[in-house]
Amino acid sequence: MKYVALVYYQEGTINDMTEQAWHDLNQECLGCVEKLTEGEHYLAGQALQPVETATTVRVRDGEVLLSDGPFAETKEQLAGFYLLEARDLNEALQLASHIPPARLGSIEVRPVRELPPKDQQETT
């Protein structure tokens, strides 16, 4: 089963890190990806740019509304994600506990909801 592990932390904590500490954290994350890949648990993942680069899109009554920044103010910001393959939630949680930024913030683990197949339109 697929699970997404959403990585959250306070960007201020990251901004306060020394260049070496930031480099070391990134190297730890790369090592984590290698271990997850070796165990055939890593499917995909990406780090995100800082929250000030975000744009929120809403569509209301057919009108597209854009606003700078995230949808909601939060203490921790979404920093990236890991898409994991695990046999069950317990394994997914155990895998997520090894993601290095968990020490700085939190990792939200959620099962992926598979969409049903697209309806086939009849052609005549």
Side-chain angles (χ1 to χ4, degrees), residues 11-67:
E11 288 182 354
T13 301
I14 299 304
N15 294 338
D16 291 342
M17 286 181 147
T18 65
E19 195 172 315
Q20 185 62 52
W22 176 239
H23 173 79
D24 292 347
L25 178 62
N26 281 291
Q27 292 302 304
E28 281 187 76
C29 290
L30 293 171
C32 179
V33 168
E34 284 179 0
K35 280 187 170 185
L36 289 168
T37 300
E38 288 168 6
E40 299 182 358
H41 296 291
Y42 182 82
L43 300 175
Q46 289 292 160
L48 300 176
Q49 293 289 335
V51 72
E52 68 261 7
T53 66
T55 302
T56 299
V57 179
R58 295 179 184 83
V59 178
R60 300 293 184 270
D61 299 320
E63 183 181 354
V64 176
L65 306 170
L66 304 176
S67 59

Side-chain angles (χ1 to χ4, degrees), residues 83-124:
L83 182 59
L84 305 172
E85 181 69 40
R87 70 182 164 269
D88 57 27
L89 178 60
N90 287 333
E91 183 178 38
L93 295 172
Q94 186 273 329
L95 295 168
S97 73
H98 297 290
I99 296 173
R103 295 189 314 267
L104 304 172
S106 61
I107 310 294
E108 178 184 345
V109 178
R110 294 173 62 178
V112 172
R113 181 175 58 91
E114 300 289 342
L115 294 175
K118 186 175 184 294
D119 291 342
Q120 298 298 316
Q121 294 180 346
E122 291 185 35
T123 56
T124 55

